[in-house]
């Protein structure tokens, strides 16, 4: 008889976005005439930039010709892309990362979810609350999280609340609390807030002092406007010894459908066996990838390479400017209405406090019913997200303006 991996059964039922989609579907069925605008799900709306489209066409032509056809590529990615990544994302910022420390993948979700496979079952993870659900759910599947309490927290997980009182900056774990791995995501999804260099440095110090690892998700680094905010954890001293960084072209260049990202595993990051021997993670991750992953498509990698050309850089900068203009409009309009809004200055997300006495889902319903605008209930990202909703700046200008107009006329604060 085939027994199931019961760790999978521990996962709570409905995935946040399915629940939202269900509610929207019901609303549309009851109001077929309604024009619903989504400021909810974190997908982009602007098309691929010309430099990327040209690269895709050229790569397709190469694959169409026997003389230039390519089949399986290197599991860790083509040299041309890893070179472009190292030069532009790291060396240009004075960061020392080499090409054999970069693993190209099919997007950051895969690796942020899979990387925990390298760790023992007894490892204790810490996550911020609220959180991008992939980190925690992957560890549930890995059998590392204990049981889910009625408070929405797993018994073996250390939670770092990010709330208005601490400015959405997580505090270090208590001294008596053992933490082996810390997941950090900055600029943050869902709160849209960032960590300063000093705040990030505190975490790196903590990790080095406690022999812990930091898994740093920088999927939104391209949205940083403030020059003092680090784009990479490796801008902080000591991070090369304790941190793995995840990057994605999804939000940087509209690759949510193309699929490409990368993970940086410095040769200096180690974890120990039960006997205390030091194991270097880089070759272990390479072993894992060459067994379970056969590389990202040549097309995607040529497309990603094009982002680093002078035209590509300028074009994606324009798209990001487009989204950040939405963010500014949203911040201004909601702020003028008296809403308390965080994020949206260095990230495409706004974290909006619901009106007094209104829950996340209550406000979601009110926005849908009264303004026909879809937002994401903050509590879906963790208990500390209760009392907030997340709005995204990924909409089209016209739709975003229309949504704001409706919120201004239909919603009471
Ligand atoms: C969108 C997103 C990613 C990127 O996922 P891809 O698989 O690269 O599309 C990673 N982390 C966070 C927090 C995200 O919001």
């Amino acid at each position: 008889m085939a027994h199931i991996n019961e760790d999978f059964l521990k996962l709570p039922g409905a995935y946040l976005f399915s629940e939202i989609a269900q509610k929207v579907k019901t609303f549309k069925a009851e109001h077929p005439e309604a024009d619903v605008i989504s400021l909810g799900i974190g997908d982009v709306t602007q098309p691929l930039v010309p430099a990327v489209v040209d690269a895709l066409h050229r790569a397709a032509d190469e694959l169409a010709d026997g003389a230039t056809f390519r089949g399986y590529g290197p599991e860790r990615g083509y040299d041309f892309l890893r070179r472009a990544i190292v030069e532009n994302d790291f060396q240009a910022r004075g960061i020392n990362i080499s090409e054999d420390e970069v693993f190209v993948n099919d997007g950051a979700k895969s690796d942020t979810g899979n990387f925990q496979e390298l760790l023992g079952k007894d490892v204790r993870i810490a996550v911020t609350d609220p959180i991008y659900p992939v980190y925690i759910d992957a560890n549930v599947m890995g059998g590392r999280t204990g049981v889910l309490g009625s408070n929405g927290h797993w018994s073996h997980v250390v939670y770092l609340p990010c709330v208005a009182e601490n400015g959405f900056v997580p505090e270090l774990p208590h001294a008596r609390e053992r933490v082996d791995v810390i997941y950090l995501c900055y600029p943050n999804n869902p709160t849209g807030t960032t960590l300063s260099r000093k705040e990030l440095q505190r975490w790196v110090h903590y990790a080095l002092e406690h022999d812990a690892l930091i898994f740093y998700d920088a999927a939104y680094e391209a949205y940083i406007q403030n020059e003092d905010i680090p784009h990479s954890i490796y801008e902080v001293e000591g991070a090369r010894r304790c941190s793995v960084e995840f990057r994605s072209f999804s939000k940087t260049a509209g690759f949510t459908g193309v699929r490409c990202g990368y993970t940086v595993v410095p040769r200096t990051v180690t974890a120990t066996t039960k006997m205390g021997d030091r194991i270097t993670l880089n070759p272990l991750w390479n072993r894992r990838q060459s067994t379970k992953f056969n590389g990202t498509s040549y097309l995607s990698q040529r497309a990603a390479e094009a982002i680093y050309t002078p035209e590509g850089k300028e074009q994606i900068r324009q798209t990001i400017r487009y989204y950040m203009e939405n963010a500014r409009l949203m911040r201004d309009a909601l702020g003028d209405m008296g809403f308390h809004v965080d994020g949206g200055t260095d990230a495409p997300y706004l974290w909006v406090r619901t009106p007094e006495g209104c829950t996340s889902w209550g406000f979601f319903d009110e926005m849908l019913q009264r303004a026909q605008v879809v937002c994401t209930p903050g509590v879906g990202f963790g208990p500390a997200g209760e009392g907030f909703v997340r709005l995204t700046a990924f909409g089209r200008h016209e739709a975003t303006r229309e949504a704001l107009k409706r919120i201004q006329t239909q919603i009471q604060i």
Side-chain angles (χ1 to χ4, degrees), residues 217-239:
D217 185 344
Y220 296 96
E221 62 79 28
Y223 289 83
I224 294 172
Q225 311 289 313
N226 180 336
E227 291 187 2
D228 295 330
I229 293 170
H231 287 246
S232 165
I233 195 166
Y234 306 115
E235 290 181 48
V236 163
E237 199 192 324

Side-chain angles (χ1 to χ4, degrees), residues 107-109 132 135 185 189 217 219-220 248 250-251 259 349:
K109 187 184 239 183
Y132 177 60
Y135 319 139
C185 172
N189 178 8
D217 185 344
Y220 296 96
S248 168
S250 285
K251 317 305 169 13
R259 310 307 302 147
Y349 295 122

